Amino acid sequence: METLKRMPFKARKAVFEKLEEIADVASLSKEERERYENSVNVYRTNLCVMDAAKEEGREEGRQEGLEEGLEKGRQEERLANARSMKAEGADYAFISKITGLSEDEIRNL
């Protein structure tokens, strides 16, 4: 009881609300208690499913971000290589063949 007195009001309120819920459940008939427990189990299952779906979504997002980042890095590398070859006087057709860039893209570098 001493611990309860030291708790902030909101925390004490939550403790009493939980005790009230327990008392309500204890007063249910066997059939009502089964329905209540089934309902709680469904609720908890739904929470677990939602948490798993969120984590799966996060993982998919990370994977997509990684793939986009790698592709951007490859494109930057192609552009850097094309600039270097262009600066060395390489033929645009050759640069295009090596980098996969179009000759127009190479001209615009």
Side-chain angles (χ1 to χ4, degrees), residues 12-50:
R12 279 185 274 165
K13 183 178 182 223
V15 168
F16 282 110
E17 286 173 351
K18 185 65 177 173
L19 289 172
E20 182 181 20
E21 180 184 333
I22 291 169
D24 288 345
V25 171
S27 67
L28 296 175
S29 69
K30 183 178 179 181
E31 183 180 300
E32 290 172 326
R33 186 178 297 186
E34 283 179 18
R35 283 198 314 252
Y36 171 78
E37 288 173 0
N38 286 339
S39 174
V40 169
N41 286 337
V42 166
Y43 174 75
R44 289 178 179 156
T45 300
N46 286 339
L47 285 179
C48 288
V49 168
M50 288 173 30

Side-chain angles (χ1 to χ4, degrees), residues 46-64:
N46 286 339
L47 285 179
C48 288
V49 168
M50 288 173 30
D51 286 345
K54 284 180 187 176
E55 186 55 38
E56 185 178 322
R58 284 188 194 105
E59 185 58 36
E60 286 177 13
R62 284 187 207 106
Q63 187 62 35
E64 287 176 13

Side-chain angles (χ1 to χ4, degrees), residues 60-102:
E60 286 177 13
R62 284 187 207 106
Q63 187 62 35
E64 287 176 13
L66 176 62
E67 290 170 7
E68 287 176 14
L70 289 172
E71 181 54 37
K72 183 178 179 183
R74 287 196 267 314
Q75 180 65 12
E76 289 174 4
E77 184 68 21
R78 284 191 291 269
L79 292 171
N81 288 336
R83 282 188 196 100
S84 295
M85 287 187 275
K86 184 179 176 182
E88 292 295 321
D91 181 64
Y92 288 0
F94 174 75
I95 297 172
S96 178
K97 180 179 176 183
I98 299 299
T99 63
L101 299 173
S102 71

